Amino acid sequence: MAINNIQKLKGFGIFQNHTNASAKNFGKYNLLYGWNGSGKSTLSKVFRCVQNKTHLDKFPLAEFTIGLKDGANITQTNIHEANLNIHTFNHDFIEDNISWSSTVKSILLVDKAKIEDRQKLEELKAQQKTDLETYNKEASEIAKLEESISKFGTDSARHMKMSLQSIDTTDRYFLNYDKRKFESFINDNLEATKSEHSLLTEDKISASINAAKPDQKSTISFAQKIVPQETLIKAEERLNDLLKTSIVSKTIQRLVEHEDVKTWVETGLNLHKTHNSTNCEFCGNKVPEERIKELEEHFNDAYKAFQDRLEKAELWLTSHYIQPPTLPSSGDFYEEFKKEYIDACSSLEKSSKTLNEEISVWHTALKAKTSNPLELALKVSPITEASINEFNDVMKAISNVVEKHNHKSANFKQETDKAKKQLELHYASTEVKNFAYHDKKKDVVERANTNKLLKTAITERGREIRVLEDSLSNEGLGADQFNDSLHKFLGRSELKLRFNPEKKGYEILRNETDPVKGNLSEGEKTAIAFVYFITKLQENDNNIEDTIIVIDDPISSFDSNHLFHAYSFMKLHCEKANQLFVLTHNFTFFKLIRDWISRKNTKEDKNIANCYVIRANNERPRASTYADADSTLTRYKSEYHYIFSRLHSLKNQQSLETDDHFLAANLARKLLEAFLAFKFPKNRGNFAGLFDVGVAACANPADEAKEKIRKFINEYSHNDLIETDEGFVEILAGEGVDVISDIFDWINELDKKHYSEMIDVVST
């Protein structure tokens, strides 16, 4: 495995909020350049944290995401599971391994002479490598699956929050719905979320949404009206009895046969009696007494009494037509009950009409009997039981809707909560089903258990490998190899390591016998530490080709000769590394490494070797990031070229931002110090003196521009400050670009040939 990028680095010292937006992914060879204080050593600590599988105590709240080539990520939460073969050389490595006044930790190189044990060790390591690759690959797949499950929880919680919030914007449970609540709900309703019964139809979803709304309504009054079947059965019996009833009278056949004539005659007879008239009101002639008597016998008292019964029967029957009760308005009901209520009201209208039509048949027969009481052929059928039941059922349905409405009003919170839970279960079950959540959770558990067993086997084999390695390891071999490399590195042999069994480490000796006890130059310390690190890379038969190597500035105290030795030594031993990272502030060393690794890139693959720059801004607090190195860093042959180019690019700006003032001042300080030290070598190392000598060499030493340059560098440079007053700051801040122009004019004045050629270089 190899490192692809550092996607995020937050709260890790000077790396306040780094992202990988400005840097391409790492290649096999990676060179990072940055001035002192830019964050190189801090960045090396990130790699060492991965090596040690632990957080840095100094930055306990740091967040980071390190992307690997296989797509997995190492973060602050899973760093203890990191399994990269990575070795980091930095100040922490030196402190952990070397005590300059006492001992150096052992180097355990494998004795090649023990053939059988070595063969067994190699077999175990081969199997261990295979199992580790299998374990790591499976762990990565499990991690991806767990990550997808975790993302599912986050996404589902967001989906549900949006759906549930739209129902009730006052419910804090749904307003703050998150992944934790979603996962807790699934765990509490594990079986229910597996069941198809938890999924609602579109109609039920709509009803539940309406039922969950927080708008409470008043109770509804409603008197249910039921048609008793027994009453209509008795009415049918009595009506048929009435229809077949006959009266005794001396009938006039014509009146029997002609209903209209009978009615006209009966009405006329009554009018004559009322007005005590003996003459016919129609023709005016006298009505014979015999005719009056004949008519009265036809319309006798029994006949009138029967007529009265028929009229009362008609009144009763008229009063028993179905009159729908006073119904509540549909707007009084909760939304989820409205459709059911409206449908019931529609059914009530139909069933009422059906019943009334059957009652109307009775009414028609009764009217016929009333018109002709002597008619005996009339008969009615019973009102159908289905019609009565249909009407009564509809009335009960309306009553049930009212009861459900009133129950909700009386138990409003419980009912709305119940509806919300139904919706929450539906939405959760839908998410779970679409994602196949339960299957994936089961898959994670089963695969994790299997991989755990493999991890146990790897751990046990690891113990066996360590036992074999201990029996094969030889501190003497480590010392011999170290001493040989150190002597070649330094070009002299008075320093060496010797194993001390009592101290369980190496003593550093000078001239074979004298312990140095800390009496070492900085260059000797750097050489010992770097050679020790390179030698230790081979410890326990470690394979360089499987190793990620990180080297942080191994040349801080070297002169140019040793600097070249360090480069050659590193190239010889680290070129075949799985991945190499080199961090440096020294431009000469940077150039050596840059020119070496840049030749690794091909037309087919231009990402084998990459150069980056580590830069800190000048805000408070300062913050660093790393980005792709610009062309000035990858093209020029000296740091002086690089600084000249960077400052010259600022010269062409119309104005400087606040951060640019500090950058320009630092660049100006470095550029002038390098130029003036070369021009006036007697004052090398004393910038204030160099500045004064440079001013004195000008045609006009009293030129105000030189004083502006001095104040600009003093105010904004982070190097040793030259004492001046601070009253000039606000005026100078607006003149930064002019000051930069003055600097280049000064260089041009002191050395026109040099300035002209440098302008040609940076313009090419």
Side-chain angles (χ1 to χ4, degrees):
M1 283 191 293
I3 297 173
N4 200 40
N5 50 44
I6 300 177
Q7 297 171 14
K8 179 175 76 170
L9 195 55
K10 185 176 181 180
F12 201 99
I14 196 170
F15 288 91
Q16 293 293 315
N17 193 20
H18 162 80
T19 64
N20 203 48
S22 301
K24 55 188 173 184
N25 291 335
F26 294 132
K28 180 179 177 69
Y29 303 95
N30 305 280
L31 177 59
L32 296 96
Y33 176 76
W35 292 341
N36 284 334
S38 63
K40 294 188 315 303
S41 296
T42 302
L43 190 60
S44 74
K45 292 177 185 293
V46 177
F47 293 104
R48 189 157 175 83
C49 284
V50 177
Q51 175 182 338
N52 294 332
K53 302 182 183 181
T54 184
H55 295 272
L56 198 64
D57 293 339
K58 193 175 180 180
F59 311 126
L61 300 179
E63 299 177 18
F64 50 85
T65 302
I66 299 170
L68 304 183
K69 295 288 187 183
D70 65 356
N73 290 327
I74 298 174
T75 69
Q76 70 276 1
T77 58
N78 68 0
I79 192 169
H80 60 283
E81 299 175 357
N83 200 29
L84 291 182
N85 181 13
I86 182 169
H87 293 261
T88 306
F89 176 80
N90 62 3
H91 184 69
D92 294 339
F93 168 83
I94 297 171
E95 281 194 345
D96 289 347
N97 289 277
I98 302 174
S99 173
W100 299 114
S101 60
S102 56
T103 59
V104 179
K105 288 185 179 179
S106 296
I107 306 170
L108 301 175
L109 299 185
V110 174
D111 189 344
K112 308 293 183 183
K114 300 179 180 179
I115 298 175
E116 291 185 3
D117 286 348
R118 271 196 58 77
Q119 183 177 355
K120 183 177 181 182
L121 178 61
E122 289 172 0
E123 290 173 355
L124 289 173
K125 282 189 171 182
Q127 184 61 48
Q128 192 78 331
K129 180 181 179 182
T130 300
D131 284 358
L132 275 170
E133 289 174 352
T134 302
Y135 173 81
N136 290 331
K137 182 178 180 181
E138 180 67 356
S140 176
E141 292 299 320
I142 293 171
K144 288 179 183 177
L145 187 55
E146 288 177 329
E147 186 177 352
S148 72
I149 292 173
S150 177
K151 185 177 184 298
F152 157 74
T154 302
D155 292 344
S156 296
R158 184 176 67 255
H159 299 160
M160 291 182 62
K161 181 178 180 179
M162 293 173 63
S163 298
L164 296 168
Q165 268 187 338
S166 63
I167 299 168
D168 185 355
T169 57
T170 64
D171 194 322
R172 296 186 63 83
Y173 175 77
F174 295 131
L175 284 174
N176 300 316
Y177 205 83
D178 55 14
K179 174 184 174 184
R180 177 183 56 80
K181 288 182 179 178
F182 174 69
E183 291 178 344
S184 176
F185 182 83
I186 291 178
N187 290 333
D188 293 342
N189 299 272
L190 203 58
E191 294 304 318
T193 55
K194 296 178 183 178
S195 173
E196 293 289 332
H197 298 299
S198 299
L199 301 176
L200 304 177
T201 63
E202 289 298 324
D203 289 343
K204 288 186 178 179
I205 292 172
S206 178
S208 296
I209 288 174
N210 290 327
K213 289 181 179 177
D215 306 319
Q216 187 169 7
K217 291 181 178 289
S218 302
T219 56
I220 295 173
S221 298
F222 174 70
Q224 178 180 328
K225 181 178 181 180
I226 297 296
V227 174
Q229 189 170 353
E230 297 80 5
T231 299
L232 291 179
I233 291 173
K234 290 180 180 178
E236 181 263 336
E237 292 174 353
R238 291 177 180 175
L239 182 56
N240 275 327
D241 182 63
L242 190 61
L243 292 175
K244 66 182 181 181
T245 299
S246 177
I247 54 172
V248 178
S249 65
K250 188 175 180 180
T251 61
I252 300 172
Q253 190 61 32
R254 179 169 175 77
L255 297 184
V256 172
E257 294 175 353
H258 299 283
E259 172 65 23
D260 53 346
V261 176
K262 182 209 72 131
T263 302
W264 181 73
V265 171
E266 185 178 17
T267 303
L269 182 63
N270 290 331
L271 285 172
H272 279 76
K273 286 183 179 180
T274 301
H275 296 286
N276 197 22
S277 175
T278 58
N279 292 331
C280 175
E281 295 293 340
F282 185 75
C283 65
N285 295 322
K286 186 174 179 67
V287 181
E289 288 185 10
E290 291 79 6
R291 183 59 177 169
I292 294 296
K293 184 177 179 181
E294 183 181 32
L295 291 174
E296 285 179 344
E297 287 179 352
H298 182 88
F299 299 109
N300 60 25
D301 290 340
Y303 176 87
K304 291 180 179 180
F306 185 62
Q307 281 263 354
D308 185 58
R309 281 182 62 196
L310 291 174
E311 289 173 0
K312 288 180 179 178
E314 185 175 356
L315 287 174
W316 181 90
L317 192 57
T318 300
S319 68
H320 277 72
Y321 276 103
I322 302 301
Q323 299 297 326
T326 302
L327 295 173
S329 168
S330 61
D332 295 340
F333 286 85
Y334 290 109
E335 198 66 36
E336 67 269 26
F337 301 136
K338 281 185 180 180
K339 185 178 184 305
E340 183 181 358
Y341 175 69
I342 292 171
D343 289 346
C345 290
S346 177
S347 297
L348 176 65
E349 184 178 349
K350 292 177 182 177
S351 62
S352 298
K353 182 180 179 182
T354 300
L355 265 180
N356 285 336
E357 285 175 351
E358 294 193 35
I359 293 173
S360 177
V361 173
W362 284 11
H363 204 170
T364 300
L366 184 58
K367 284 182 178 180
K369 184 69 174 178
T370 303
S371 298
N372 188 2
L374 301 177
E375 174 65 54
L376 299 178
L378 297 171
K379 185 178 181 181
V380 296
S381 301
I383 302 295
T384 58
E385 184 178 350
S387 298
I388 297 171
N389 289 341
E390 182 180 351
F391 176 84
N392 289 340
D393 289 344
V394 171
M395 289 301 298
K396 288 176 183 177
I398 293 174
S399 182
N400 287 339
V401 177
V402 172
E403 287 178 8
K404 285 192 284 187
H405 170 93
N406 291 341
H407 176 78
K408 179 175 178 178
S409 292
N411 305 275
F412 187 73
K413 187 175 186 311
Q414 296 92 318
E415 289 300 308
T416 52
D417 286 349
K418 180 181 176 182
K420 290 174 186 176
K421 285 300 178 186
Q422 284 180 330
L423 286 169
E424 186 178 9
L425 179 59
H426 165 76
Y427 291 135
S429 300
T430 301
E431 296 284 345
V432 164
K433 181 181 179 182
N434 292 341
F435 183 71
Y437 171 81
H438 293 297
D439 291 339
K440 290 180 180 177
K441 286 286 285 185
K442 181 182 178 183
D443 193 28
V444 165
V445 172
E446 291 175 351
R447 291 172 66 175
N449 288 336
T450 301
N451 221 31
K452 186 177 180 181
L453 294 175
L454 181 58
K455 180 66 173 178
T456 301
I458 290 171
T459 302
E460 292 174 354
R461 190 184 298 113
R463 295 193 190 99
E464 188 176 358
I465 288 172
R466 283 192 294 275
V467 170
L468 269 175
E469 284 179 338
D470 289 344
S471 69
L472 292 168
S473 296
N474 189 320
E475 288 88 350
L477 286 175
D480 291 343
Q481 187 161 324
F482 170 86
N483 291 332
D484 183 57
S485 297
L486 182 65
H487 297 159
K488 291 178 182 177
F489 191 95
L490 292 174
R492 47 193 169 87
S493 60
E494 69 266 24
L495 289 174
K496 67 179 298 184
L497 297 186
R498 182 179 66 190
F499 186 69
N500 186 328
E502 293 180 0
K503 294 183 178 181
K504 297 182 179 178
Y506 302 113
E507 292 179 304
I508 306 175
L509 303 178
R510 192 183 296 277
N511 299 322
E512 296 287 344
T513 57
D514 302 329
V516 296
K517 295 183 179 179
N519 186 22
L520 292 164
S521 70
E522 289 303 312
E524 288 173 332
K525 287 181 180 179
T526 303
I528 289 171
F530 190 47
V531 172
Y532 173 77
F533 171 77
I534 296 296
T535 307
K536 202 167 178 64
L537 286 175
Q538 305 168 53
E539 190 173 44
N540 293 326
D541 225 10
N542 180 54
N543 187 355
I544 295 295
E545 295 179 6
D546 296 330
T547 306
I548 298 172
I549 301 173
V550 182
I551 298 175
D552 177 24
D553 252 349
I555 41 78
S556 57
S557 303
F558 289 164
D559 57 27
S560 59
N561 186 45
H562 283 132
L563 185 147
F564 185 79
H565 281 313
Y567 155 71
S568 301
F569 188 68
M570 183 184 68
K571 179 182 177 185
L572 176 65
H573 291 90
C574 301
E575 186 167 18
K576 294 183 179 180
N578 177 28
Q579 202 170 20
L580 176 65
F581 294 86
V582 180
L583 302 91
T584 184
H585 77 288
N586 185 290
F587 193 87
T588 304
F589 191 67
F590 170 84
K591 185 180 65 172
L592 287 170
I593 305 297
R594 178 196 68 188
D595 294 345
W596 161 47
I597 67 172
S598 62
R599 293 191 293 271
K600 302 289 185 180
N601 288 330
T602 64
K603 291 182 180 180
E604 293 75 21
D605 190 352
K606 296 181 180 180
N607 198 42
I608 297 174
N610 295 321
C611 294
Y612 306 89
V613 61
I614 304 171
R615 291 194 182 115
N617 62 27
N618 292 283
E619 298 176 357
R620 293 292 183 269
R622 291 198 311 146
S624 276
T625 187
Y626 76 83
D628 293 340
D630 52 47
S631 60
T632 58
L633 202 55
T634 57
R635 187 172 74 241
Y636 295 143
K637 300 298 183 182
S638 74
E639 186 175 33
Y640 181 78
H641 284 75
Y642 170 60
I643 294 170
F644 193 100
S645 174
R646 289 294 306 281
L647 190 61
H648 193 266
S649 69
L650 294 176
K651 171 179 176 292
N652 298 323
Q653 296 184 13
Q654 292 184 354
S655 62
L656 296 181
E657 300 294 335
T658 302
D659 292 350
D660 289 338
H661 289 128
F662 295 104
L663 174 61
N666 279 328
L667 291 170
R669 170 68 179 254
K670 283 179 172 286
L671 181 67
L672 283 175
E673 190 166 24
F675 172 74
L676 293 173
F678 175 77
K679 196 73 177 173
F680 308 106
K682 288 183 180 180
N683 289 280
R684 182 185 291 272
N686 178 7
F687 182 66
L690 281 170
F691 196 97
D692 292 338
V693 171
V695 171
C698 292
N700 182 13
D703 182 10
E704 182 185 344
K706 307 303 185 294
E707 190 58 26
K708 282 185 180 181
I709 295 171
R710 185 196 301 270
K711 289 178 180 292
F712 183 74
I713 292 174
N714 176 60
E715 180 60 30
Y716 294 109
S717 173
H718 293 290
N719 295 289
D720 296 335
L721 298 181
I722 308 167
E723 292 296 332
T724 64
D725 65 63
E726 298 180 358
F728 201 62
V729 175
E730 291 184 1
I731 299 173
L732 191 60
E735 301 180 3
V737 175
D738 293 336
V739 171
I740 296 173
S741 294
D742 291 339
I743 291 170
F744 284 109
D745 290 343
W746 189 12
I747 294 174
N748 186 31
E749 181 183 358
L750 293 175
D751 194 331
K752 292 183 181 297
K753 180 67 173 176
H754 170 78
Y755 176 78
S756 176
E757 291 197 7
M758 286 301 298
I759 292 298
D760 287 343
V761 169
V762 301
S763 300
T764 304

